[in-house]
Amino acid sequence: MQLIPRLKQSSLQQKFQWVAKPVEYMNSAAKHSPDMFLADIAPQGSYIFVNHPEGMRQMITSDRSSFFAGSKDNQILKPIVGENSLLLIEGDRHKKRRKLLLPPFHGERMQSYGKLICDLTHNIVSRLKPNQSFVARQISQTISLQVIFEAVYGLQDGERSQALQGHINKLTNIFESTLTSAFLFFPLLQKDLGAWSPWGNLIRQRQAIDEGIYQELADRRQENNSDRSDILSLMMSAKDEEGEGLQDIELRDELMTLMFAGHETTATAIAWSLYWVHRQPEIRTKLRAEIASLGTDPEPMEIAQLPYLDAVCKETLRIYPVGMLTFPREVQKPLELIGYKLEPGQIVMGCIYLLHQREDVYPEPNKFKPERFLTQEFSPYEFFPFGGGKRRCIGEALAKLEMKLVLATIIANYDLELLEDKPESPARRGVTLAPKTGVKMIFKGKI
Ligand code: HEM
């Protein structure tokens, strides 16, 4: 059994590079050690990054006595989602909460969101004027936030909904730059130096969001409408074996979790997809032809079944996965993982980005080639954009549907162009990987 390789850079260099240039950090680490390495990036020490499909499989499918999908290493997200969030609870409490949250995110339930997604996309894109420039990620964020509001909150477009969306946008945009993303990673920077300081701004936006959420909870309790089928209503009426429901603070934390995990990620994925299909216009032509083959006014669910569209979305999530890492798993006993020795207490993370960059799985990994998903089947541990096992993404079906329908609606109905010739590069946005400029585009008009 071998020891897990350490990188040559000092611990301080690694921490800074991981925050400021995560892609460069991962690429250079993989050159040194392609399957697994010790990443000295956490304040409390090292994480083990696993970049190998078999290592990923064992880590995800082994039982709790080998790897524990705990939560203490997700604390970085606490200032946003709160300590009662699904991301920050573990063991039986986590299992029970997942059971409660999963059903509304299942395939059949998604069908009711199809039309909503297409309508919202038309609504938002058709507001652009000919030759107007815009940032694709802003447009996709507006769409994905509204989708999440409808699905999770069941909130119609009212004053409270608009105010909440405004504060959420302001809060998430704090992490637009690498510099402000650093505030999440270095607790010493988390100081309220007034409304203009990044952390002060975060606290104020968070307070405003909390007020909106608590008002909504109080109104719902008074209204007592049992016909509602949104996720919030489901969470409010759920009871455990002792007949206890979720407290308001737990409901608040879960709403924040679903809103943030749900809209930031999907918005980024959609922006990347728009970038790639306009960067390689032959892909857009093929997509248009595929969508046109369904005739006029196809059903959203027919669109979602299109194979080339599916391949384009998969390749988008492969080349720059929005989530670079899985959540942490803690080693429970002495183990061997693909020939390397693991000790109890060590923290292992699947490195989705490096897994997706493996030349032996994806030849020419830096090229955007949707066809690879039409000619080859990849195992669930080779293509891993939504993680797996106990903490697998609960929003996967919604995210995939949204990506496909927003992209197809735009491609089939509107002409857009990239504003700049130079390639877009991936950069940190909070804990995710996003296009550095957000993808600047020009709206040419309706087709
Ligand atoms: C393209 C969009 C998305 C991507 C790439 C993505 C990716 C991921 C990944 C990699 C994980 C970690 C899985 C693991 O550790 O094994 C995760 C977890 C999670 N995702 Fe997503 N996600 C997306 C959209 C969504 C949406 C739309 C929602 C909800 C509305 C959502 C809610 C969550 C939650 C709550 C977890 C934590 C699950 C747990 O701790 O049990 N995500 N996601």
Side-chain angles (χ1 to χ4, degrees):
M1 261 196 284
Q2 300 177 59
L3 291 177
I4 300 165
R6 282 188 175 278
L7 304 179
K8 289 191 198 106
Q9 299 104 306
S10 71
S11 155
L12 197 64
Q13 273 175 324
Q14 290 193 48
K15 286 182 178 61
F16 277 106
Q17 213 192 358
W18 170 243
V19 173
K21 295 192 164 195
V23 169
E24 288 82 346
Y25 173 77
M26 291 184 284
N27 285 339
S28 94
K31 276 196 195 121
H32 175 69
S33 179
D35 299 336
M36 219 198 253
F37 59 89
L38 268 178
D40 208 345
I41 53 166
Q44 69 278 19
S46 306
Y47 290 134
I48 298 167
F49 276 27
V50 177
N51 324 322
H52 189 284
E54 178 52 22
M56 200 73 104
R57 189 190 68 75
Q58 286 182 32
M59 177 187 122
I60 293 298
T61 55
S62 301
D63 65 22
R64 191 176 157 169
S65 65
S66 299
F67 292 99
F68 178 49
S71 64
K72 71 173 192 282
D73 289 272
N74 288 343
Q75 295 301 321
I76 183 180
L77 298 166
K78 192 162 124 189
I80 297 173
V81 297
E83 64 190 0
N84 300 286
S85 152
L86 186 69
L87 308 175
L88 292 177
I89 58 177
E90 55 186 37
D92 288 343
R93 190 173 172 217
H94 173 254
K95 201 167 153 191
K96 266 198 214 162
R97 187 74 61 82
R98 268 185 81 93
K99 233 177 165 176
L100 181 84
L101 294 176
L102 267 169
F105 285 106
H106 262 177
E108 322 87 71
R109 278 293 289 266
M110 290 302 111
Q111 298 193 8
S112 55
Y113 302 130
K115 192 171 165 340
L116 168 82
I117 296 169
C118 297
D119 289 350
L120 275 173
T121 308
H122 275 301
N123 232 327
I124 289 160
V125 179
S126 61
R127 278 185 224 152
L128 295 165
K129 308 260 176 323
N131 294 321
Q132 184 182 336
S133 60
F134 66 98
V135 175
R137 209 193 163 286
Q138 282 170 4
I139 295 273
S140 60
Q141 179 153 324
T142 310
I143 298 172
S144 67
L145 188 56
Q146 286 194 24
V147 171
I148 257 325
F149 258 69
E150 292 266 354
V152 173
Y153 245 129
L155 260 195
Q156 309 303 326
D157 207 18
E159 228 174 85
R160 184 173 299 155
S161 164
Q162 299 230 324
L164 267 171
Q165 289 186 34
H167 292 300
I168 288 169
N169 268 328
K170 282 189 193 147
L171 203 161
T172 49
N173 288 340
I174 295 174
F175 302 110
E176 217 158 28
S177 81
T178 304
L179 185 71
T180 45
S181 295
F183 282 74
L184 278 180
F185 292 84
F186 301 106
L188 274 177
L189 301 176
Q190 297 176 0
K191 298 244 160 33
D192 180 0
L193 303 174
W196 294 102
S197 66
W199 204 254
N201 187 11
L202 179 140
I203 288 173
R204 281 158 186 81
Q205 299 306 333
R206 191 177 62 190
Q207 265 165 2
I209 297 169
D210 286 356
E211 274 166 31
I213 290 180
Y214 287 125
Q215 274 166 14
E216 181 68 21
L217 293 179
D219 289 357
R220 292 276 179 111
R221 292 231 157 79
Q222 256 200 334
E223 181 190 279
N224 202 12
N225 178 355
S226 56
D227 292 340
R228 280 182 174 272
S229 60
D230 52 77
I231 296 168
L232 173 59
S233 305
L234 197 123
M235 289 196 294
M236 287 180 77
S237 57
K239 300 263 184 286
D240 64 17
E241 290 97 60
E242 285 87 44
E244 291 282 331
L246 292 177
Q247 295 173 4
D248 278 7
I249 178 81
E250 293 173 311
L251 290 167
R252 176 265 174 214
D253 288 358
E254 227 48 286
L255 283 173
M256 289 294 262
T257 305
L258 294 175
M259 278 190 289
F260 283 98
H263 93 279
E264 270 281 298
T265 44
T266 316
T268 293
I270 294 169
W272 274 126
S273 71
L274 285 169
Y275 168 73
W276 287 113
V277 303
H278 290 87
R279 180 93 193 150
Q280 294 177 207
E282 69 285 1
I283 298 181
R284 183 179 56 176
T285 309
K286 268 190 178 180
L287 264 183
R288 273 193 181 146
E290 192 186 49
I291 301 164
S293 73
L294 294 175
T296 40
D297 256 344
E299 284 295 315
M301 286 303 145
E302 281 181 283
I303 300 175
Q305 310 286 323
L306 292 172
Y308 190 65
L309 176 64
D310 182 60
V312 169
C313 292
K314 282 184 171 146
E315 181 68 346
T316 301
L317 290 171
R318 180 202 64 83
I319 195 162
Y320 296 134
V322 183
M324 294 174 270
L325 300 173
T326 66
F327 287 123
R329 268 70 171 175
E330 189 179 328
V331 181
Q332 299 297 296
K333 59 183 180 197
L335 287 171
E336 183 184 333
L337 190 68
I338 55 166
Y340 291 99
K341 192 173 166 205
L342 301 188
E343 299 289 352
Q346 284 186 310
I347 304 294
V348 185
M349 287 175 165
C351 183
I352 304 171
Y353 170 79
L354 286 177
L355 177 79
H356 286 182
Q357 285 291 315
R358 288 185 73 96
E359 186 108 42
D360 55 351
V361 182
Y362 300 102
E364 298 188 293
N366 293 319
K367 292 214 169 124
F368 187 83
K369 295 203 290 190
E371 283 70 19
R372 60 174 105 236
F373 283 96
L374 296 173
T375 52
Q376 203 184 328
E377 279 257 354
F378 296 95
S379 86
Y381 306 103
E382 290 170 336
F383 181 61
F384 209 59
F386 296 98
K390 302 235 168 5
R391 288 204 181 260
R392 187 189 183 106
C393 178
I394 61 169
E396 178 176 347
L398 178 60
K400 284 188 196 155
L401 182 71
E402 208 176 318
M403 259 185 102
K404 288 179 182 177
L405 294 183
V406 173
L407 180 62
T409 306
I410 294 179
I411 293 299
N413 295 285
Y414 304 95
D415 259 331
L416 312 178
E417 276 174 15
L418 291 174
L419 188 66
E420 290 170 350
D421 277 342
K422 63 174 195 286
E424 180 75 49
S425 46
R428 175 179 291 288
R429 185 183 162 97
V431 293
T432 64
L433 195 61
K436 192 168 187 174
T437 71
V439 185
K440 292 181 188 150
M441 303 194 82
I442 307 183
F443 180 76
K444 299 309 283 183
K446 201 168 172 355
I447 294 176

